[in-house]
Amino acid sequence: MIVKSSKSVKAFAYLRTSSATNIGEEKDSGRRQLQAVEAFAKRAGIDLVGTYHDEAVKGSDPIDTRPGFAEMLEALEANGTKTIIVETASRFARDLMVQEVGYAMLRARSIELIAADSPTSFLDDTPTARLIRQVLGAVSEFEKAMLVAKLKGARDRKRRTGLKVEGRKSIAEQRPETVELARRLARSRPKGGRRSLREVSAALAAAGHTTKTGKPYAATAIKLMLGLEKRERNSGKKKED
C-alpha cells in the first residue's frame, strides 16, 4: 500500500518490450505500460519526471547490459531522483535471479523500485527469493574477503622490499633535507667529545630546521633522524643523552 506524502516524490517510468514485433507507434505494449505507471503514480501522488524504454530487450537480459536502463541510471544520479516505477515486476526482469541482482544493485544506490500492479512485489519474501538473496549476500562477502586478501598480499609484498606502505610518514620521508643535515652534524663531532642530541637539535634550529610549530626538535625526534632508536631496540641498550 502506497501512502501519499505531503512532499512530492519524483520518479522515472521504466518500460521494456521484449519482442521487436511489439515496437512501433501502432503497437500498444509501451503505451499500455506507460498508462499503468502513470495511473499508479497519480494515485500515489508521485510526480513522473521521465520515461525510459528498452526495446527488443528480453526479460532475462542482465540489467547492466540494457542501454535504456543505463541511460536512466545516469539521469537518476544527475537529478537526484530515487524512484523507478515499472508496470509489473516481470517488466523489470522475468528471470528471478536477474530481478534480485538488479533490485539489490538499485537498493545499494538507495533507489526504490516499485511495480505499479503490486507495489510490494519486490519485497515479497518467497523461499526462492530468500535463497537468491542469501546467495547474493554470500557472493558479496566472498568478493569483499578476496579484495581484502589481495590488498593485504600487495602490502606484504611491498613490505618485503623495504617500502613503507601505510601509517604516518617518517621524518625521513617528510623532511629528508633535515635528516641529512642532522646526520652531518652528528658526524662532525667537536674536539674532545661528541654532539649531544640537544646540541644537534639546537644546530638544526639555528639553520632554520624546526618543527611545524617553530620549536626545536625534541631529543626523541633527533634519535629517529639518526636511527638511534632502531639501533637501541636491536641491541637492547639505552643510550644516555
Side-chain angles (χ1 to χ4, degrees):
M1 180 178 178
I2 299 295
V3 178
K4 291 185 179 181
S5 171
S6 58
K7 184 178 180 181
S8 177
V9 175
K10 294 182 179 180
F12 284 142
Y14 176 66
L15 319 177
R16 183 187 60 78
T17 306
S18 59
S19 174
T21 60
N22 287 328
I23 299 172
E25 293 183 0
E26 71 282 3
K27 304 299 182 181
D28 69 347
S29 177
R31 184 168 60 251
R32 188 195 67 248
Q33 293 179 55
L34 183 57
Q35 288 173 348
V37 170
E38 288 175 337
F40 169 80
K42 184 177 180 179
R43 293 195 304 273
I46 297 175
D47 183 18
L48 284 181
V49 294
T51 301
Y52 291 85
H53 194 172
D54 270 314
E55 299 177 330
V57 170
K58 296 180 179 179
S60 57
D61 289 351
I63 299 299
D64 57 1
T65 65
R66 303 178 183 183
F69 198 86
E71 186 180 353
M72 181 175 62
L73 284 182
E74 291 181 5
L76 284 165
E77 294 176 356
N79 71 5
T81 298
K82 291 293 184 181
T83 304
I84 298 172
I85 305 176
V86 293
E87 179 195 24
T88 65
S90 62
R91 284 298 170 188
F92 178 64
R94 286 191 181 280
D95 185 282
L96 186 56
M97 178 64 81
V98 174
Q99 189 179 110
E100 288 293 330
V101 170
Y103 179 69
M105 180 266 288
L106 293 175
R107 188 172 53 188
R109 299 187 182 195
S110 300
I111 297 173
E112 184 179 10
L113 180 63
I114 303 173
D117 70 326
S118 178
T120 63
S121 60
F122 292 107
L123 303 175
D124 290 344
D125 196 25
T126 64
T128 303
R130 188 160 58 246
L131 173 61
I132 291 176
R133 289 166 194 163
Q134 290 172 349
V135 170
L136 291 176
V139 170
S140 178
E141 287 296 318
F142 173 74
E143 290 178 342
K144 182 178 179 180
M146 287 297 292
L147 178 59
V148 170
K150 287 180 180 179
L151 291 174
K152 182 178 183 301
R155 290 195 297 267
D156 289 344
R157 286 192 295 273
K158 286 184 178 180
R159 288 195 189 96
R160 286 196 291 270
T161 65
L163 294 175
K164 187 180 179 73
V165 296
E166 59 187 6
R168 180 182 297 178
K169 289 185 177 180
S170 66
I171 294 178
E173 291 173 309
Q174 295 180 42
R175 300 187 176 184
E177 69 285 352
T178 299
V179 173
E180 178 58 29
L181 178 57
R183 290 173 179 174
R184 287 205 306 270
L185 289 169
R187 288 195 297 268
S188 59
R189 298 176 180 177
K191 293 182 180 179
R194 64 183 181 87
R195 292 185 190 275
S196 69
L197 297 176
R198 290 190 178 86
E199 287 173 337
V200 172
S201 175
L204 284 175
H209 293 267
T210 58
T211 65
K212 291 180 179 180
T213 59
K215 296 180 179 180
Y217 284 100
T220 52
I222 301 300
K223 277 187 177 184
L224 289 172
M225 293 183 195
L226 304 181
L228 294 178
E229 283 199 353
K230 186 175 181 180
R231 289 199 290 271
E232 287 175 356
R233 285 197 299 269
N234 291 339
S235 63
K237 297 178 181 179
K238 293 289 184 180
K239 295 189 176 183
E240 296 290 334
D241 181 6

